[in-house]
Amino acid sequence: MKGPALLVLLAGLLAGHPVPASADAGVAPRAIPCPPSVGEGTHCQSGQDANGAWYVIAMPAQWNRHLIVHAHGGPRTGAPEASDPLEDLDRFSVMVRQGYAWIGSTFRRGGYGVRMAAEDTDNSRRIFWSLHGRPERTILHGQSWGGNVAAKASELHALDVEGRRNYDGVLITNGVLSGGTRAYQFRAGLRAVYQFYCRNHPAVGEPAYPVWQGLPRESRMTRAELRSRIESCTGVDRPAARRTAEQARRLRDILAVTGVQEDQLVSHLSWATFLFQDLVHERLGGLNPFDNAAGVYAGSSDDAALNAGVERFTADADAVARLAYDADLSGLIVLPTLTLHALHDPTVNYSVEAAYAATVAAAGRSHLLVQAATDEDQHSKLTDAGYLTVLSALENWIDTGIAPDATGFQADCLARYPTQGQCRFR
């Protein structure tokens, strides 16, 4: 949900009536209008924790006494706003309509920081518990980059200091589960390949900088300006018939070498620009965590010329260590963990699931991981029927102690949720 609908909800938020604040809240929670998608009778609240993270709570009229604690994707590079969690609530509103309470938070600041985001996510759990009491069950959910956050939170905050469970299970959807040191290497490669063909990011006449920086710290380039450069080079925003022969050749080579889909090129280059700028300059002290020194690029119209002329860079060991400490995963999970991933996800490649499975296996915890796939080609939103199926499977796992068999998810989906959209498990 975007645009006018969010503005209406934000206006309601600012006009809401205060309710008692929790001890952890920096700004007392207020009653706000809920997105219509969560269903009639649902009550919503918004507040801000002591670290500056905004949160939204949705309480269904018929609460099943179970709670979803949501970690959002991104990371969002702008300053957090009170209305930000409403889009996430709308996207996963089927969970609230099913009877779950829901809390989702921004993080205390924009930009990268998995440990920070994991702490803020767990803070939102504590705030919900302080406001509404401890539920019978608490499930941690991460989407996209929030999957990395939730996986990290499940390693750091699954248990309290006495060894008691803060969460009962973990659900990760289309998650970035390969760890920070591996998740963005392909985008660094994309920047190098794009620059080889386009030579406009940076452009001739601009101060030179290594592409792994994203942008110089002081740069104020906008997303619209970046898009204009990509369009000028590749014609990606126009019909294929209106591209020049040179634009078509460059676009074809960039996509063939990197594996990025045409409709995702601008998005991936945006992450490799603005997120890299934040990550490198604000989180890693200007050091480089990326490496393509030994990479061999293939699939272009002239691979020899590409490999001879593409910009090369070598990762700094300290930058890699710092990024690994923040965002890599140990696999030391202690809770039932279920992942759902679209096979044709255009943003987070399905191969991350194998990487996570290997990490968990190396830690000796494979008995706590079940992975499911659908044949969808979306990233931000999968079918409601799929979400309900994996939630039900996770709940049953928690109840019985018996891990579900993902090969049965399609039949279960068809039998239980025929009115909730397509069932597309594979």
Side-chain angles (χ1 to χ4, degrees), residues 188-190 192-193 257-258 292 295-300 303-304 306-307 310-313:
L190 172 62
V193 170
V257 171
T258 64
N292 74 341
V296 177
Y297 296 103
S300 73
D303 289 347
L306 172 60
N307 283 283
V310 73
E311 181 177 334
R312 299 288 182 174
F313 37 86

Side-chain angles (χ1 to χ4, degrees), residues 101-122:
W102 187 96
I103 185 166
S105 109
T106 70
F107 307 129
R108 68 190 70 181
R109 57 164 168 75
Y112 204 80
V114 173
R115 284 177 176 263
M116 168 203 72
E119 181 178 326
D120 291 340
T121 298
D122 192 55

Side-chain angles (χ1 to χ4, degrees), residues 14-342:
L14 295 174
H17 302 292
V19 297
S22 81
D24 295 302
V27 172
R30 295 173 176 267
I32 62 168
C34 295
S37 57
V38 299
E40 293 184 6
T42 300
H43 297 283
C44 292
Q45 299 170 281
S46 175
Q48 189 179 37
D49 74 13
N51 294 319
W54 291 96
Y55 60 86
V56 167
I57 293 171
M59 293 290 295
Q62 300 297 322
W63 182 25
N64 64 8
R65 303 299 302 174
H66 293 189
L67 168 67
I68 303 289
V69 178
H70 176 75
H72 71 72
R76 296 163 180 161
T77 53
E81 297 184 6
S83 62
D84 287 345
L86 292 170
E87 184 174 353
D88 303 295
L89 173 57
D90 183 61
R91 182 176 296 126
F92 295 102
S93 58
V94 68
M95 298 177 179
V96 180
R97 296 195 303 273
Q98 196 70 9
Y100 290 88
W102 187 96
I103 185 166
S105 109
T106 70
F107 307 129
R108 68 190 70 181
R109 57 164 168 75
Y112 204 80
V114 173
R115 284 177 176 263
M116 168 203 72
E119 181 178 326
D120 291 340
T121 298
D122 192 55
N123 283 343
S124 73
R125 171 195 61 79
R126 294 191 297 111
I127 287 172
F128 183 96
W129 286 14
S130 70
L131 289 170
H132 299 285
R134 179 168 184 163
E136 294 175 4
R137 181 163 294 167
T138 301
I139 293 174
L140 177 61
H141 173 225
Q143 159 67 21
S144 187
W145 182 67
N148 193 170
V149 173
K152 178 67 81 169
S154 77
E155 294 180 356
L156 299 177
H157 305 294
L159 308 177
D160 67 16
V161 294
E162 302 297 332
R164 296 168 299 200
R165 290 187 174 188
N166 291 323
Y167 301 91
D168 298 285
V170 181
L171 174 64
I172 298 173
T173 53
N174 282 355
V176 180
L177 291 170
S178 53
T181 57
R182 288 188 284 181
Y184 304 102
Q185 293 291 340
F186 83 96
R187 287 183 177 140
L190 172 62
R191 276 298 303 270
V193 170
Y194 175 87
Q195 184 64 3
F196 173 80
Y197 289 111
C198 295
R199 307 292 181 186
N200 68 359
H201 189 32
V204 175
E206 291 182 330
Y209 62 88
V211 294
W212 55 260
Q213 281 188 359
L215 284 171
R217 180 194 289 271
E218 66 278 4
S219 174
R220 296 296 180 265
M221 176 184 281
T222 66
R223 294 179 183 274
E225 289 168 346
L226 173 61
R227 188 173 201 117
S228 177
R229 295 189 187 201
I230 300 169
E231 160 63 17
S232 175
C233 175
T234 67
V236 71
D237 283 337
R238 68 188 70 179
R242 293 183 53 208
R243 294 170 190 153
T244 68
E246 190 62 20
Q247 285 175 328
R249 183 191 64 80
R250 289 190 292 248
L251 179 61
R252 182 178 61 251
D253 280 348
I254 291 168
L255 301 181
V257 171
T258 64
V260 171
Q261 296 182 17
E262 182 177 316
D263 62 356
Q264 296 292 315
L265 178 62
V266 174
S267 175
H268 282 301
L269 280 170
S270 294
W271 289 118
T273 298
F274 304 107
L275 179 60
F276 282 15
Q277 181 188 35
D278 173 86
L279 176 64
V280 168
H281 296 294
E282 305 301 329
R283 319 303 164 201
L284 298 177
L287 301 177
N288 172 30
F290 305 117
D291 199 311
N292 74 341
V296 177
Y297 296 103
S300 73
S301 54
D302 189 342
D303 289 347
L306 172 60
N307 283 283
V310 73
E311 181 177 334
R312 299 288 182 174
F313 37 86
T314 301
D316 178 272
D318 187 53
V320 174
R322 291 167 67 173
L323 182 56
Y325 176 79
D326 181 71
D328 279 1
L329 300 169
S330 70
L332 291 169
I333 57 177
V334 296
L335 302 174
T337 301
L338 201 159
T339 71
L340 175 66
H341 209 120

